[in-house]
Amino acid sequence: MWKVERLADHVHLGQSQFRASLRAQYSPGMFHGKTKEENKQLKTVFSKDLKCRCSMILKKLMEKYDKNINEISKDLPKVLDATLRCYDGDCTQCHEYSIVCKGDDALNWWSRSHYLSTYQITALQMDKTDKFLLQEILKMKLTTAAVESMKLYDNTNKNEGVHRALSVNLPKNVIYSKNMEGRLASGVHRNNNMPGTSTQLKCTNLGVELSERSKRYLKKMDTDFKYNQDYILRPEVQKRRLQQNAERLAEHKTWREMNKKHDYYCKGQLDPQPALQFQDHDSYCKPKLPRPAAD
């Protein structure tokens, strides 16, 4: 008898970890912001950093032990403790167990992280409650039960990609009552083959003769499609995209600081302003006509 087993998606689990950190009630003095709004922004940045760090740790462990859950589970308690100590300012165990932090001044996580370095977060003033909350959030990914639920280390990106591809022929806001099956089959055929090849095969089966120029164009479509797929997966391209994200993060922080002083918004600034001062009754009443003289 086969058994249905529910496995977790590490991408969606990271998003859940980010939302859990946003909902966590950290102490007011955990971050170095001077105002409540600054601390809220630093909390969001820290939550993003926490999600990225756990994802990087899990990826490194999967590569190191070739997705062997038993071997990974042996290191998880030490990795969890070292990560918690690192956020608390103690990097004595980072060199051996932290995976992503070397513990020295040059290669520590505080300077390596784009989020922490951009917003100049170099220390966290955590009390016992903050440490407990942070430990529980880290356990969402860095425990044996969590890793076993992600043992395939796969995600739902392929499923979502198929849904997006089929929505080209079958958008949700249109009901194709007569040719739905044909449009669905056309989308499936395009996904199983490349766009140019799919178009050429459809025309051949329909008896449509294509010119040499059209065939060259369809072949170029396949070449560009294959090139774009390989281009996105190149390590240098992914590294450059991460650097661009860090640059945009720094630009956004600078823009917020520059435009904070020029914010002229005030609540209800477009509401009509009624005249609240008292006006004399005779100023807006019609003048009374004189009464006719009595005979």
Side-chain angles (χ1 to χ4, degrees):
M1 186 65 182
W2 53 275
K3 179 182 178 181
V4 178
E5 184 178 4
R6 181 182 179 274
L7 299 179
D9 178 7
H10 64 92
V11 176
H12 289 84
L13 190 58
Q15 294 293 336
S16 300
Q17 196 177 26
F18 168 71
R19 291 191 295 268
S21 180
L22 283 181
R23 293 192 303 267
Q25 299 295 329
Y26 297 122
S27 61
M30 181 174 174
F31 303 102
H32 64 269
K34 297 180 180 179
T35 61
K36 186 177 180 180
E37 186 65 25
E38 290 181 1
N39 285 330
K40 182 179 179 181
Q41 185 179 3
L42 294 176
K43 182 180 179 181
T44 304
V45 172
F46 172 72
S47 301
K48 292 180 180 179
D49 174 79
L50 185 66
K51 181 195 72 172
C52 294
R53 181 169 186 171
C54 291
S55 300
M56 187 179 297
I57 290 174
L58 185 62
K59 181 180 179 180
K60 295 289 185 181
L61 290 175
M62 288 290 183
E63 293 176 354
K64 181 179 179 180
Y65 295 107
D66 195 19
K67 299 183 181 180
N68 191 338
I69 305 301
N70 295 328
E71 296 295 331
I72 294 175
S73 301
K74 295 178 182 179
D75 289 352
L76 281 178
K78 299 177 181 179
V79 172
L80 176 63
D81 183 62
T83 305
L84 182 61
R85 288 175 178 269
C86 180
Y87 277 125
D88 194 27
D90 182 11
C91 291
T92 55
Q93 299 182 6
C94 289
H95 182 73
E96 189 173 0
Y97 301 115
S98 180
I99 307 296
V100 296
C101 178
K102 298 300 181 181
D104 53 5
D105 296 335
L107 296 175
N108 56 21
W109 181 253
W110 302 96
S111 59
R112 184 181 180 184
S113 172
H114 294 310
Y115 294 105
L116 300 183
S117 59
T118 301
Y119 284 83
Q120 299 177 357
I121 302 177
T122 57
L124 298 175
Q125 306 298 327
M126 295 191 296
D127 55 13
K128 293 182 179 180
T129 305
D130 296 333
K131 293 179 183 179
F132 174 77
L133 292 174
L134 183 57
Q135 185 179 19
E136 293 300 316
I137 295 173
L138 290 173
K139 285 182 179 179
M140 295 178 66
K141 264 196 171 182
L142 302 182
T143 56
T144 304
V147 173
E148 286 180 352
S149 65
M150 298 181 290
K151 59 184 179 181
L152 298 181
Y153 197 63
D154 202 357
N155 51 50
T156 60
N157 289 346
K158 293 181 180 179
N159 297 344
E160 296 171 359
V162 171
H163 293 163
R164 287 194 300 268
L166 295 180
S167 64
V168 176
N169 288 9
L170 293 173
K172 295 181 179 180
N173 59 343
V174 182
I175 299 177
Y176 296 96
S177 58
K178 295 183 179 180
N179 58 348
M180 186 273 293
E181 295 181 358
R183 297 180 71 92
L184 178 61
S186 177
V188 173
H189 189 270
R190 187 182 63 250
N191 291 342
N192 294 335
N193 304 277
M194 287 186 286
T197 304
S198 176
T199 303
Q200 189 171 359
L201 290 175
K202 292 173 186 176
C203 293
T204 303
N205 292 332
L206 292 174
V208 178
E209 295 184 1
L210 298 175
S211 62
E212 293 297 328
R213 183 178 180 181
S214 299
K215 292 180 180 179
R216 289 195 301 268
Y217 179 76
L218 294 176
K219 185 177 180 180
K220 186 177 183 301
M221 285 179 59
D222 292 342
T223 304
D224 295 342
F225 180 78
K226 186 64 177 177
Y227 174 80
N228 291 331
Q229 282 187 330
D230 298 337
Y231 180 80
I232 296 175
L233 299 178
R234 292 180 183 177
E236 60 272 14
V237 175
Q238 295 180 350
K239 182 179 180 180
R240 184 168 65 249
R241 291 181 64 181
L242 290 176
Q243 293 176 352
Q244 291 174 352
N245 291 337
E247 293 175 358
R248 285 195 294 267
L249 183 66
E251 291 176 359
H252 177 67
K253 179 178 180 295
T254 305
W255 182 86
R256 286 177 63 95
E257 293 176 352
M258 293 178 60
N259 291 272
K260 185 177 180 180
K261 299 179 181 179
H262 304 286
D263 190 4
Y264 300 106
Y265 172 79
C266 60
K267 186 176 181 180
Q269 61 183 358
L270 298 180
D271 295 345
Q273 300 295 331
L276 300 180
Q277 296 181 356
F278 175 75
Q279 296 181 356
D280 189 9
H281 180 74
D282 296 336
S283 62
Y284 58 87
C285 290
K286 293 182 179 180
K288 296 181 179 180
L289 298 176
R291 293 182 179 180
D295 295 337

